[in-house]
Amino acid sequence: MRGIFSRRRGSARRAGADPIEAFWRWWADDGEELLTEATRAGDFDAYVDVMTRRVRAIARGLEWETRTGTDAEHTLCVSSGGDASLRPVAERWYRASPPPGPRWDFVPARSAKPDMLESSITYRGRTFDLRRTRVHAAVTRAGDGFIVSVYNPGFTGQWDDEYGLCVLLLEWLLGEDDVERWVRRVDCIARDVVDSIPAAELPARVADLARTLPAPDWLLMQGTLGAGDPILVRVLRPLRWIDHPRFDLHTALRVPFDADGQGLPRPAALDDLDDLEDSLVKALGIRGMLVAAETSRGVRTLHFYSDSEDQNGRDVLDAAARAQRAVTARHALDPGWKKVRDFA
C-alpha cells in the first residue's frame, strides 16, 4: 500500500456543478498524468494535496489511496472509510470513471490485501508485528455474520488508539465491503483466547459461512402489535444494504385497503395489493427494489430503496401515490437501511 489519505466525515455537496463530473474532467485533462508521474517517482508530496482537494470536493470524509494494480499499473481507490452515508458517493464516483487502461483502474472500496498481515507496521507511533495477530470469530445468533475479536501482543487496552487498527486489519483480510457484509461487531482484546485462530484463516471461515446460507428469498413473518392486532411482514433475506450501495433513498408507500375484522385484507383487496406491488416492482426495474412489506390495521406499507440521485426511480413511486388519493409516499435518505433494520 502506497498511501491512505482521509478527511473528517461529512456529507456530499448537492448544490452547483456535479463534483464527480468535475473530478473526472480534471482527471482527463491533468490528473492522470500528474498522478502517474508522481506515483512512478514515489513523490507523494507532488500529488497528495492536489488529490485530497479533488476528493474532498466530492464529499468530506471520503478517503483515497493508490495501490499497485492487478491488471493496470496502478489502482486508485476512493473509499467511504466504512461510513455508510458515503458509500453511495464512492459508488457513483466509480460508476462515472473511465474504462480501466494500462496505467490506472479504479475501485470504490478497499479490496483485500492479506499480504499486509505478513509485515510489521507503525500505527500511531507504535510498532505492531501483524504476523502475530489472531482472531476469534463467533457466528451471530442469526447465523448470518460474525462477532470478531482481534488480538495482537502489541495491544495495550487503549482502544481509542487500537480499534482503528483492528478495523484496518479486517479490511486487509476481507476487503472493506466484506467487513460490512459479514462482520457485525469488532472487539479488540488485550489477551488471547483459547479458541482463537491465526488472522490469515478468517477469510476461509467467512467463505465457509457464505456457502451455507440460502439464496436470497422472501421470508414471511407473523406477529401481533401491542394492542393484539395481527401484523404480517414479508422481508427480503439477506437484507444487506452493502449489496446495493447506490440505493440510499428509502420510500415508505402506505396503501390503505378494505380490511376484515382483524385489519387484514379481504380477498379482493389482497389481489389489488399484489397487483399494485407487482406493477411497481416492474416499473422500477433496476432503478430500485422492494425489500419489505408490512400489513396490519388496514394498511400495507411497502418499503422501497432507490438511488437518491435518480429522480426517475422516485417518480415511479410518487406517481403511484398521486394515482390513488389515499396512498402516500414518504421519502428519506437512509444509506445503511436503518429504516428496515428491525426486519433483518
Side-chain angles (χ1 to χ4, degrees):
M1 181 176 301
R2 289 173 287 174
I4 303 175
F5 307 94
S6 66
R7 288 293 184 266
R8 59 191 177 87
R9 299 179 188 273
S11 58
R13 297 180 181 178
R14 294 186 176 273
D18 181 354
I20 292 176
E21 182 180 335
F23 178 93
W24 290 118
R25 280 201 308 269
W26 166 77
W27 179 263
D29 293 341
D30 304 307
E32 179 178 7
E33 200 64 36
L34 167 68
L35 201 57
T36 301
E37 291 180 2
T39 304
R40 286 174 176 171
D43 184 7
F44 286 92
D45 292 340
Y47 68 83
V48 168
D49 289 343
V50 174
M51 274 295 296
T52 297
R53 286 198 304 271
R54 292 289 174 175
V55 172
R56 187 179 183 183
I58 298 172
R60 289 178 178 270
L62 285 177
E63 301 176 358
W64 69 274
E65 67 181 56
T66 61
R67 291 185 176 186
T68 300
T70 302
D71 296 322
E73 184 180 349
H74 314 285
T75 293
L76 174 61
C77 172
V78 168
S79 159
S80 67
D83 185 341
S85 69
L86 291 174
R87 184 62 180 83
V89 183
E91 187 72 17
R92 293 180 188 118
W93 170 87
Y94 167 69
R95 288 173 183 259
S97 67
R103 296 198 294 187
W104 288 95
D105 58 16
F106 312 97
V107 292
R110 293 189 184 99
S111 55
K113 196 171 178 62
D115 58 323
M116 289 296 296
L117 273 293
E118 296 298 321
S119 63
S120 293
I121 66 168
T122 299
Y123 182 84
R124 296 195 175 185
R126 291 164 50 206
T127 300
F128 296 86
D129 182 353
L130 302 187
R131 290 166 294 190
R132 301 180 66 187
T133 304
R134 299 182 66 85
V135 300
H136 178 267
V139 178
T140 60
R141 183 176 299 178
D144 61 351
F146 292 95
I147 297 170
V148 180
S149 301
V150 182
Y151 164 77
N152 184 282
F155 288 169
T156 62
Q158 301 298 317
W159 302 140
D160 286 347
D161 290 336
E162 295 165 353
Y163 179 80
L165 178 57
C166 289
V167 173
L168 192 57
L169 289 171
L170 294 180
E171 288 183 351
W172 284 333
L173 285 169
L174 302 175
E176 180 183 333
D177 283 353
D178 267 355
V179 171
E180 177 62 41
R181 189 172 284 116
W182 298 110
V183 178
R184 301 292 174 262
R185 194 179 80 211
V186 180
D187 296 327
C188 300
I189 54 177
R191 294 183 179 180
D192 197 6
V193 293
V194 174
D195 51 351
S196 67
I197 60 175
E201 295 180 13
L202 182 62
R205 187 70 63 89
V206 169
D208 288 344
L209 177 64
R211 281 192 291 268
T212 67
L213 297 180
D217 202 357
W218 289 94
L219 175 68
L220 181 63
M221 299 183 289
Q222 186 171 357
T224 56
L225 299 173
D229 300 303
I231 180 170
L232 303 177
V233 176
R234 186 162 36 88
V235 59
L236 186 64
R237 293 288 182 86
L239 194 61
R240 292 193 298 239
W241 69 268
I242 194 61
D243 293 337
H244 311 278
R246 287 183 304 128
F247 291 168
D248 59 344
L249 181 70
H250 172 261
T251 300
L253 196 74
R254 290 174 50 86
V255 186
F257 55 78
D258 180 24
D260 61 19
Q262 291 187 300
L264 300 178
R266 301 182 190 277
L270 183 59
D271 289 341
D272 291 340
L273 289 170
D274 290 344
D275 288 345
L276 174 63
E277 181 179 314
D278 290 344
S279 67
L280 289 173
V281 169
K282 183 177 180 180
L284 268 178
I286 63 172
R287 296 182 180 277
M289 62 188 299
L290 176 69
V291 302
E294 299 175 81
T295 305
S296 183
R297 294 177 177 174
V299 175
R300 174 170 288 181
T301 302
L302 301 173
H303 296 270
F304 289 93
Y305 280 91
S306 59
D307 186 337
S308 62
E309 296 200 353
D310 181 359
Q311 186 64 42
N312 293 323
R314 178 172 178 160
D315 286 347
V316 168
L317 303 174
D318 285 336
R322 289 194 300 269
Q324 301 182 46
R325 182 177 300 176
V327 175
T328 61
R330 211 170 262 188
H331 308 284
L333 279 176
D334 183 25
W337 292 17
K338 293 179 181 178
K339 300 277 187 185
V340 294
R341 187 167 293 173
D342 289 344
F343 304 147

